[in-house]
Amino acid sequence: MVIFDLGGLGVTNVNLHATQELLRKIITGKTDDLEFMSGYQIRVFWGLTYDHTWSSIFVIIITITINILGATHNLLTVILHHDQHDVLSLMELCHYATLFISLLSMCSVTISQSKKTKTFCELLEKDFNNPNEELSPRQNSIKQYSNTFICTLGKWLIVLFFSGISGSYLRRPILESAPDPEEYTLPYIGWVPFKVDTIPKCIPVWIFQAAISINVVCGHYCFFMSFAIHANHLYSHCDMLAVHLEETFDFDSVKTSNREYYIKRRLKEAIKKHQILIRYFFRIQDLYSYSLLAMGLFSGLMFCTCIYMVSDPDSTIYMIASVSSFMIGEFILIGLYCWFGQRVVDKWENIKDTIYNIEWYTQSITTKKTLLLIMTMCTRDKVIKGGGLQEFSMKGFSELLQAGFSSYNMLKAMRN
């Protein structure tokens, strides 16, 4: 059954098996036969994008329903049974609810932008996957390294995320007991409409809590991998453009009888590539603006609840170990969003530095003007922002951490 067909969008006539195969290659790191990654397949696979097929409608409904159930499962306990749990347990429930609500808000934005996402990925395929483009050995190595890096990152993130969720899922059944001696111990303290005092009642709740846990982890993972693929394309092609400009004036390795014509032709190609990169940056900014804003807003709440649980005097060593397992994953995830944004800033500035370091002063007036024009367009920093407010760079990461610690200090003052 065909799930979507974009006529060459990374994979032609992509079906469920093909998408699973793409994820398998990313996780296993087998990049030799990996086709062009546009990020569209991953979005459709986990219900983040609607592609005008019944199968995608089904996946979207399942994803949104599980997110709503996961948030409700945690929030109803806080609302209805807050007097039966200590502050630490309520804080843990609020943290889990924040994860579901953040993913639900991001999914809502990405689904509403499905048409824009399809257009974006088609243009990405057209601009960055030209089989007739001649690349130098250095440019080919950059392209190969970028694919390998994304696959390696995806593999280790899967290990990190599922290690964290496994620790939090198994902590209570192994190390703690239920508040009511007559009830079975569940992985999470969540609201259920019945008393879990028999095995037939316990098993469905265990399965349900496993399903919502896997869903929230895979949802955040797929959204991040989509963002990472797009940001990686941008900064790797900035690197390739810098190499193109450097090699244009490397006359020791290139022998030509008409040097001025050679430079003019190469600079014309460089300007075209630079214009593509500028358009591509603004498309990324437009596509991810509100999703990243939701991520930034909820990350402060995730940080402060995690720090609160770890630093609470009543926390047991098992609680601290469990919270730390998924807290590390969340910190790394937010840090990677900002790291990829910082890479875009750095590689954009690298184009300007490369132009300045070549022997521009020995070139003709026309060449100097062309190089100056490219440098001028590189002067303004290209920083990916959420909603035009929150920077996703290392500076932005420090701001998110400060916001999290400020919220934690407020909670700490209320506790004291």
Side-chain angles (χ1 to χ4, degrees), residues 41-263:
Q41 302 95 324
I42 296 175
R43 280 173 167 257
V44 173
F45 180 72
W46 207 259
L48 301 177
T49 298
Y50 169 59
D51 71 334
H52 303 283
T53 60
W54 288 107
S55 54
S56 71
I57 294 176
F58 175 76
V59 173
I60 288 171
I61 292 174
I62 293 297
T63 300
I64 292 179
T65 302
I66 292 179
N67 280 321
I68 293 174
L69 290 175
T72 305
H73 182 63
N74 291 279
L75 288 177
L76 283 182
T77 304
V78 177
I79 297 171
L80 301 177
H81 304 299
H82 59 273
D83 55 337
Q84 301 177 14
H85 301 283
D86 56 17
V87 177
L88 199 60
S89 299
L90 295 176
M91 196 61 61
E92 184 179 8
L93 289 168
C94 289
H95 178 82
Y96 293 142
T98 302
L99 284 174
F100 287 105
I101 295 173
S102 65
L103 181 59
L104 184 62
S105 61
M106 292 162 66
C107 285
S108 301
V109 174
T110 55
I111 292 169
S112 67
Q113 294 179 325
S114 296
K115 184 177 180 180
K116 186 184 295 184
T117 302
K118 178 179 177 180
T119 303
F120 172 83
C121 292
E122 287 175 336
L123 292 172
L124 173 65
E125 169 86 7
K126 177 183 176 182
D127 293 336
F128 289 165
N129 190 37
N130 183 5
N132 298 322
E133 184 180 13
E134 295 182 3
L135 300 177
S136 68
R138 287 178 61 189
Q139 289 175 317
N140 272 319
S141 65
I142 292 172
K143 189 174 182 179
Q144 181 61 36
Y145 174 78
S146 66
N147 283 340
T148 304
F149 174 75
I150 285 294
C151 292
T152 303
L153 178 65
K155 176 176 64 176
W156 285 108
L157 281 181
I158 282 286
V159 174
L160 177 65
F161 288 170
F162 277 93
S163 297
I165 197 175
S166 299
S168 63
Y169 185 81
L170 298 174
R171 171 178 60 86
R172 293 189 72 250
I174 296 176
L175 302 173
E176 298 180 11
S177 58
D180 189 344
E182 297 181 359
E183 293 188 359
Y184 284 87
T185 304
L186 298 175
Y188 302 110
I189 308 171
W191 178 85
V192 289
F194 49 83
K195 189 174 183 179
V196 187
D197 53 359
T198 62
I199 293 180
K201 293 180 180 178
C202 179
I203 292 176
V205 178
W206 271 65
I207 295 174
F208 168 73
Q209 292 187 340
I212 61 176
S213 301
I214 294 172
N215 178 78
V216 73
V217 168
C218 290
H220 278 288
Y221 172 81
C222 289
F223 182 84
F224 169 75
M225 287 304 298
S226 172
F227 172 79
I229 288 170
H230 293 154
N232 182 65
H233 279 306
L234 178 56
Y235 71 70
S236 63
H237 278 80
C238 286
D239 247 356
M240 292 166 65
L241 176 57
V243 170
H244 176 88
L245 289 167
E246 185 179 340
E247 292 179 342
T248 299
F249 298 91
D250 185 11
F251 299 111
D252 293 334
S253 57
V254 178
K255 304 299 182 182
T256 176
S257 57
N258 193 339
R259 180 175 297 185
E260 192 64 30
Y261 173 78
Y262 173 78
I263 292 176

Side-chain angles (χ1 to χ4, degrees), residues 251-290:
F251 299 111
D252 293 334
S253 57
V254 178
K255 304 299 182 182
T256 176
S257 57
N258 193 339
R259 180 175 297 185
E260 192 64 30
Y261 173 78
Y262 173 78
I263 292 176
K264 182 179 180 181
R265 178 177 61 82
R266 296 272 296 185
L267 287 181
K268 182 178 179 181
E269 295 173 0
I271 291 175
K272 288 182 178 179
K273 292 177 182 178
H274 196 228
Q275 290 174 336
I276 290 173
L277 291 176
I278 293 173
R279 291 196 298 268
Y280 182 63
F281 169 81
F282 286 112
R283 287 174 187 143
I284 286 183
Q285 180 69 71
D286 183 48
L287 187 65
Y288 287 97
S289 179
Y290 294 107

